[in-house]
Amino acid sequence: MKEQRDHALDLTKLIMAFLVICIHTDPLESYSDTGNFILTRVIARVAVPFFFMTAGYYFFVKSRSMSQFVKYMKKLGVTYVLWSVIYLPVNMYVWMNEGFTKEWLLHYIKQVIFIGTYYHLWFLPALMCAITIVYFLQQRMQLRWIAAISILLYTIGLLADSYYGLAVQAPVLNDIVNGYLAVFEYSRNGLFFGLPFVALGALIAKELPQWKLSDALCEFGLLFSFGWMVFEAALLQILGWPHYDSMYLMLVPVVSLGFISLLRLDIRDKSFYRYASDISMVLYLIHPAVILAVRALSLQLPILKVSSLLYFFVIFILSFALSHLWVRRKRYAAKTSLG
């Protein structure tokens, strides 16, 4: 069974992959601390929640059988294992420098399950966790209740992320949050971060036609909530509260209203849109390897580090080129096959 694609979502996924690369390269760092903060710590923070919401929307837009669920989990699992193997040499390098110990092995096992085997790969186990929870819960309760519970979990997760400074002011919360972080390191995971946006994506897929939301209301709500997110992010930095800055309270309405607005765009079908969807995830997965390569190259070519914008564009162009080859690998293999 193939779901109908939404071209606005597919095209936006490519933009979001671009923003993720911005987060990891700080393109405006050489020019403006404020501009770089707004780009990488505010605007670009919508990218990963958007990926979660899109996955939830596409998976739950139609009823799924257990066999389809298992097939989807298998696909995510194989992708996770494949890219974990690709990034294994980096972990091996750390092991060779720090020494192989029982503690290192236990930490790596914890990474595999909860954190991700490399700093960006957390998304895949988090997505698997979130899809699984929503899939089984929606057989027992309404999606709106699942979404409500997940938003409550997101609010709790904020205390271990951008609202950490608020949590540590209360002795009991301080012990709970720090105890949690000592084990799991982040609340940016499938339960506290992935679940809300997957659940909201599923809810939008099933119930959006019943909601009486005008285009004007969605657009105004999007601008209004985004303005408040900028204010929220700036205020939290001034207060010095964030332990991490992946999660903001206003991310929920910003991503939700933006997602709904995209669904209402009427875009004619073009082959590029599906290509944009395919290449966006490869860009997400491959760009940290390119960052490592460019960092090593910059030791021989210091000009790459002279400008943060140049550094960013070199990484983006190389990442895009490699991602294109990955997406088109079967076509190119067929063209070059002697058979």
Side-chain angles (χ1 to χ4, degrees):
M1 180 182 64
K2 294 178 67 176
E3 71 277 354
Q4 184 177 354
R5 306 297 301 186
D6 185 279
H7 310 309
L9 295 184
D10 289 342
L11 185 59
T12 305
K13 284 173 65 177
L14 179 57
I15 298 171
M16 295 303 169
F18 175 90
L19 290 177
V20 170
I21 299 176
C22 288
I23 293 174
H24 296 149
T25 55
D26 293 309
L28 302 181
E29 187 177 38
S30 301
Y31 307 95
S32 169
D33 289 339
T34 300
N36 190 66
F37 173 79
I38 293 174
L39 173 62
T40 63
R41 298 300 179 262
V42 183
I43 297 174
R45 286 306 183 195
V46 306
V48 175
F50 179 84
F51 282 130
F52 278 122
M53 189 171 286
T54 303
Y57 175 84
Y58 276 139
F59 185 80
F60 291 101
V61 73
K62 291 185 178 181
S63 297
R64 302 287 182 169
S65 66
M66 177 58 73
S67 62
Q68 290 171 327
F69 167 76
V70 171
K71 183 179 179 180
Y72 186 72
M73 288 297 109
K74 183 179 178 180
K75 179 181 178 182
L76 290 177
V78 169
T79 302
Y80 182 47
V81 171
L82 171 63
W83 286 94
S84 294
V85 171
I86 289 173
Y87 284 98
L88 185 59
V90 181
N91 290 303
M92 294 294 291
Y93 177 80
V94 174
W95 165 63
M96 291 172 62
N97 282 273
E98 296 182 358
F100 183 79
T101 63
K102 180 180 179 181
E103 290 74 18
W104 187 93
L105 178 60
L106 291 174
H107 179 71
Y108 186 75
I109 293 172
K110 183 175 72 173
Q111 281 185 306
V112 171
I113 300 171
F114 299 111
I115 305 170
T117 50
Y118 204 57
Y119 64 82
H120 67 308
L121 292 180
W122 69 272
F123 175 80
L124 293 171
L127 179 59
M128 293 173 70
C129 172
I131 291 285
T132 300
I133 293 173
V134 176
Y135 180 78
F136 287 104
L137 283 183
Q138 55 98 26
Q139 298 174 13
R140 294 165 175 80
M141 66 174 69
Q142 293 182 340
L143 277 170
R144 61 186 66 182
W145 285 108
I146 300 173
I149 293 169
S150 68
I151 290 173
L152 177 60
L153 288 171
Y154 180 83
T155 305
I156 294 171
L158 288 171
L159 298 175
D161 196 272
S162 56
Y163 283 80
Y164 175 79
L166 175 63
V168 298
Q169 295 179 33
V172 176
L173 274 179
N174 178 50
D175 293 340
I176 294 173
V177 170
N178 283 317
Y180 170 85
L181 289 173
V183 177
F184 299 103
E185 297 189 29
Y186 306 97
S187 58
R188 182 199 63 189
N189 54 34
L191 182 63
F192 293 107
F193 192 37
L195 178 59
F197 295 103
V198 168
L200 287 168
L203 182 64
I204 290 170
K206 297 295 187 181
E207 299 190 10
L208 180 59
Q210 304 170 23
W211 299 349
K212 296 180 180 179
L213 295 174
S214 66
D215 292 347
L217 180 61
C218 288
E219 292 165 5
F220 173 79
L222 174 60
L223 292 174
F224 181 80
S225 55
F226 179 75
W228 273 105
M229 191 172 81
V230 174
F231 175 78
E232 178 188 13
L235 180 61
L236 289 171
Q237 289 296 321
I238 292 171
L239 293 173
W241 283 4
H243 188 56
Y244 304 103
D245 52 14
S246 302
M247 303 167 66
Y248 298 121
L249 189 60
M250 298 308 295
L251 257 180
V252 175
V254 167
V255 176
S256 300
L257 291 170
F259 193 88
I260 293 171
S261 298
L262 287 170
L263 287 174
R264 294 182 172 180
L265 294 178
D266 185 16
I267 299 180
R268 293 183 179 180
D269 186 18
K270 289 185 179 180
S271 59
F272 174 77
Y273 300 139
R274 186 56 191 255
Y275 168 80
S277 176
D278 292 339
I279 202 172
S280 62
M281 187 48 62
V282 183
L283 267 174
Y284 178 91
L285 294 168
I286 208 170
H287 79 271
V290 177
I291 290 175
L292 285 173
V294 173
R295 282 178 181 171
L297 185 61
S298 66
L299 297 176
Q300 303 300 322
L301 295 172
I303 191 174
L304 293 175
K305 296 292 287 185
V306 170
S307 166
S308 59
L309 199 57
L310 173 63
Y311 177 71
F312 162 76
F313 276 116
V314 169
I315 289 171
F316 177 76
I317 291 170
L318 290 176
S319 298
F320 192 92
L322 291 173
S323 299
H324 174 79
L325 291 175
W326 180 282
V327 170
R328 299 299 198 203
R329 65 190 184 280
K330 292 182 179 178
R331 178 181 298 180
Y332 292 145
K335 287 183 178 180
T336 56
S337 173
L338 295 178

